[in-house]
Amino acid sequence: MRITLFLSLVLLSLISGAQNFQGKATYKTHRNMDIKMSTDSNAPNKALQKQLQDQIRKMSQKTFTLNFNKSVSTYTQNKELKPETQTGGVSIVMIGNGGGNDVLYKDVVKKEYKNKTEISGKNFLIEDKLESAPWEMTAETKKIGKYTCYKATRSREEERMSFTMTDGEKEETKKMVTVKTEAWYTPEIPVSNGPGMFWGLPGLILEVHEGKQTIVCTELVLNPSEKVTIKKPKKGKKVSQEKFDKIMREKTEEMMERFRNNRKSKKDGESISIEIQG
């Protein structure tokens, strides 16, 4: 009787501990981008090209916080000083950037997510299912902070659309590319979660390399003294991921058309072609 009672108390303690388990992780992200620029002069404007590269690099360097427990999480961008978005008379616009107000909520048990984001001042709430990722596990390990992490990889085929604007004339290119992902997770934190839309491994993901994007955990606190808040986002027009992607394409088309019209309205000045690949 005493043994049964003892085991029951231990089990209740473990269940309670799992329910109360929380964590807070800080991630830094950056993306390497190639900028191709041509002008109608004999020599390309290398100084302007370097300035644009530096500005876009700064715009891609962000810090996020992942608040999580065993089943759900929120991933939000930390408030930071906004970098300059105009260089040498060229404005840089990032469609779908969210203005730092995005909230990504994931439920890895129910396999669903809600993502509050913003386009051109309008809020959207994307609601959809989390897709199971076909990760390939490896025995390769490395230390990230004090945690032993294991490497997992995956790849997928994706259609990429790129735009090139030359002297106000737009060229659009579509091609299929193979997107390779490398993730490092630690079983020491048995949470099947991670930054952004990365999840599905037997441990918290602390580092990701996908294409030219890098995400690295720089700080991690388990069971912090101040309870973390994990709330589902509610504001915004509800759409599926497929519908939102269509809206994004339309907004990008509108932006390119405005740029084309602005270029055509200028009779003088240097003709510039910019292609961003990332």
Side-chain angles (χ1 to χ4, degrees):
M1 180 67 180
R2 289 181 180 179
I3 294 176
T4 302
L5 179 60
F6 174 75
L7 291 175
S8 298
L9 289 173
V10 170
L11 180 59
L12 286 173
S13 176
L14 290 173
I15 294 173
S16 176
Q19 290 175 340
N20 295 327
F21 175 80
Q22 290 186 325
K24 184 175 183 178
T26 301
Y27 292 87
K28 288 189 180 295
T29 73
H30 74 269
R31 182 187 296 272
N32 294 324
M33 294 186 179
D34 298 329
I35 301 177
K36 295 181 180 179
M37 175 181 294
S38 62
T39 67
D40 57 6
S41 60
N42 293 328
N45 191 335
K46 293 183 179 180
L48 179 57
Q49 180 173 341
K50 185 178 185 305
Q51 289 177 26
L52 283 168
Q53 287 175 333
D54 291 341
Q55 291 290 30
I56 293 176
R57 189 178 298 110
K58 288 178 182 178
M59 291 175 70
S60 72
Q61 293 173 348
K62 301 174 184 177
T63 304
F64 293 82
T65 296
L66 179 74
N67 290 333
F68 61 90
N69 59 29
K70 285 284 187 177
S71 58
V72 299
S73 68
T74 55
Y75 190 65
T76 56
Q77 184 180 339
N78 297 346
K79 300 296 182 182
E80 298 168 322
L81 292 176
K82 292 184 179 180
E84 295 292 331
T85 58
Q86 184 164 339
T87 299
V90 179
S91 296
I92 304 170
V93 179
M94 297 186 74
I95 297 294
N97 193 34
N101 296 316
D102 287 11
V103 178
L104 172 61
Y105 173 90
K106 297 201 302 285
D107 188 326
V108 298
V109 174
K110 295 181 179 179
K111 296 184 179 181
E112 61 185 26
Y113 68 93
K114 298 177 184 290
N115 186 14
K116 183 182 80 68
T117 189
E118 177 187 320
I119 303 179
S120 302
K122 185 174 182 179
N123 288 321
F124 291 88
L125 184 62
I126 307 167
E127 297 182 330
D128 222 317
K129 293 293 184 181
L130 285 171
E131 295 183 3
S132 298
W135 292 105
E136 292 186 13
M137 320 293 280
T138 76
E140 188 176 346
T141 66
K142 73 173 181 178
K143 283 281 189 179
I144 298 179
K146 66 179 182 179
Y147 298 98
T148 299
C149 295
Y150 290 80
K151 178 181 174 181
T153 62
R154 72 183 187 196
S155 64
R156 70 178 189 277
E157 296 297 314
E158 180 180 284
E159 184 179 68
R160 287 278 177 89
M161 183 181 297
S162 63
F163 298 96
T164 303
M165 187 70 73
T166 305
D167 196 20
E169 295 299 327
K170 182 187 71 173
E171 294 181 12
E172 180 181 310
T173 304
K174 293 181 181 180
K175 62 179 180 180
M176 295 300 296
V177 298
T178 301
V179 180
K180 295 183 178 181
T181 307
E182 175 186 303
W184 293 86
Y185 68 95
T186 175
E188 296 171 35
I189 307 174
V191 175
S192 184
N193 215 324
M197 293 297 289
F198 299 101
W199 70 290
L201 288 166
L204 183 66
I205 299 172
L206 299 185
E207 184 173 312
V208 176
H209 301 275
E210 183 174 86
K212 295 183 179 181
Q213 178 181 229
T214 298
I215 307 174
V216 180
C217 181
T218 58
E219 185 178 359
L220 179 59
V221 180
L222 299 180
N223 296 319
S225 56
E226 184 177 345
K227 188 176 181 180
V228 301
T229 302
I230 304 176
K231 293 182 179 179
K232 294 181 182 180
K234 297 180 180 180
K235 295 182 179 180
K237 180 181 178 180
K238 294 182 179 181
V239 294
S240 66
Q241 187 66 57
E242 183 179 3
K243 176 64 175 177
F244 182 77
D245 291 343
K246 182 180 178 181
I247 295 170
M248 281 281 290
R249 288 193 295 269
E250 291 172 352
K251 290 295 182 182
T252 302
E253 288 279 355
E254 290 176 10
M255 180 189 70
M256 299 298 288
E257 185 64 21
R258 286 198 302 269
F259 183 80
R260 185 180 68 85
N261 292 335
N262 289 339
R263 294 297 302 168
K264 281 191 172 183
S265 66
K266 295 180 180 180
K267 295 181 181 179
D268 301 320
E270 193 177 50
S271 170
I272 297 177
S273 168
I274 300 176
E275 179 181 353
I276 299 176
Q277 301 173 336

